[in-house]
Amino acid sequence: MGMPKDLNHPGVYAEALYQAAMTGDAVVLAHWLADDPEAEKGPFWKWYIHFAERLMDMAPHPENGFAVRDRRTSQPPKIGRNDACPCGSGKKYKQCHLGREDNVAWKLGSPTPVIRAMATSRVIHECSVDVLDSVPREKASPMVLTEMAATYHGHGRIEVALRLLGEVLEGDRDDPFLLWDYWIARRAEWLVEAGREKEGERFLLDEFDHPRKVEPWQVAQKLAAFYIDQGDTENADIWVNTAMEGNANNPFNHYLKGMLLHYVESWDEAVASYERAEELMAGFREEEKMYMVELVSESLSRARNRQSLEDEDDTVEETSAGETGDSTQDHAS
Ligand SMILES: [Zn+2]
């Protein structure tokens, strides 16, 4: 017997919804929840089955655009006064939670939007192109469409990815949970990747003139990254400064500034900018930091060693290519 899954934990709840979408079998899911192959013999089996059925009601499936339905196919099991309390305390129900059921884990509530999004994006990323092609787009939310776009991109279907993401970004952007800033950056990167640099540039410039759900400095930052990527240091300089004027405390702005100084071999200033970026990242959450820390520390050590950013016989470019869209340097050079 292992550790029963604690569905009060958002990450575990999301994982459970993901498992529900992938298995489609309440008994398998109930065993997973109980983490016990003998769970059927235990006093809480009917609860595990109830949870499993509820989770399956709510799981995101491709045939309804990964929208989370809530069909409520099962009712919580009845508990007798002398039954084991489903909280798992080992006491009788009447001596434990009878009359005070409201805030216990075994009353499975609806997942929050964040939990749904975590589970849904995981399910989408597991889907094959064929499954994604079959998704009724009119049922899919903007969040689902962006995750589908990213998955298509991962499968090398860049034109489909761009079309989907383009539709979402041209829509009304009323989803408060979507990171619009992030998706604007991806669209520009993918356009460059598809050899449509001019379109990428036009998109960002237009976005800067008419920003929606993003700050102008955030778009300026994307423009700076775009021009650095294109080797256009003059424009990059203009946009780094615009981004910096808008937000002098954003680490990525300092990182981009560092890259520009790095290019012109102003070593000490580049080092100072990278160090500032590292300092400012200290306040970030771990998952946000991960990929940036790597980028910055890599560049910082190169600047300290008076090494240029683009060193042909070095692997640095390869390691950062996927994340920053540096692969586009092929087009630029
Ligand atoms: Zn209890």
Side-chain angles (χ1 to χ4, degrees), residues 159-199:
E159 290 302 329
V160 188
L162 275 169
R163 198 157 54 233
L164 271 182
L165 184 54
E167 282 166 21
V168 175
L169 286 170
E170 278 147 30
D172 49 20
R173 299 193 191 175
D174 57 4
D175 184 334
F177 297 100
L178 261 188
L179 296 172
W180 296 105
D181 175 44
Y182 174 86
W183 292 109
I184 286 166
R186 293 294 84 73
R187 188 185 192 189
E189 271 177 28
W190 295 353
L191 282 166
V192 173
E193 208 180 310
R196 293 155 65 179
E197 290 87 352
K198 278 281 149 216
E199 218 180 311

Side-chain angles (χ1 to χ4, degrees), residues 85 87 89 96-97:
C85 187
C87 76
S89 66
C96 191
H97 273 99

Side-chain angles (χ1 to χ4, degrees), residues 57-202:
D57 291 344
M58 296 187 286
H61 289 294
E63 62 270 22
N64 38 288
F66 300 99
V68 178
R69 295 167 298 181
D70 195 348
R71 292 178 301 156
R72 200 170 284 272
T73 52
S74 84
Q75 289 299 319
K78 294 263 185 299
I79 331 163
R81 293 171 54 83
N82 291 313
D83 288 351
C85 187
C87 76
S89 66
K91 295 182 192 166
K92 286 182 177 178
Y93 183 48
K94 66 179 179 191
Q95 289 160 349
C96 191
H97 273 99
L98 177 64
R100 46 183 200 94
E101 291 88 346
D102 278 354
N103 47 17
V104 288
W106 40 275
K107 287 190 85 106
L108 184 63
S110 294
T112 63
V114 173
I115 291 173
R116 284 169 201 248
M118 281 162 73
T120 304
S121 75
R122 244 186 104 184
V123 173
I124 293 170
H125 285 266
E126 299 276 317
C127 285
S128 68
V129 163
D130 285 347
V131 172
L132 293 181
D133 285 345
S134 74
V135 170
R137 302 273 165 86
E138 71 284 356
K139 290 188 182 175
S141 68
M143 186 278 285
V144 163
L145 293 171
T146 53
E147 293 300 329
M148 283 175 62
T151 310
Y152 274 118
H153 178 261
H155 286 296
R157 296 275 300 275
I158 192 158
E159 290 302 329
V160 188
L162 275 169
R163 198 157 54 233
L164 271 182
L165 184 54
E167 282 166 21
V168 175
L169 286 170
E170 278 147 30
D172 49 20
R173 299 193 191 175
D174 57 4
D175 184 334
F177 297 100
L178 261 188
L179 296 172
W180 296 105
D181 175 44
Y182 174 86
W183 292 109
I184 286 166
R186 293 294 84 73
R187 188 185 192 189
E189 271 177 28
W190 295 353
L191 282 166
V192 173
E193 208 180 310
R196 293 155 65 179
E197 290 87 352
K198 278 281 149 216
E199 218 180 311
E201 181 182 27
R202 222 168 32 239

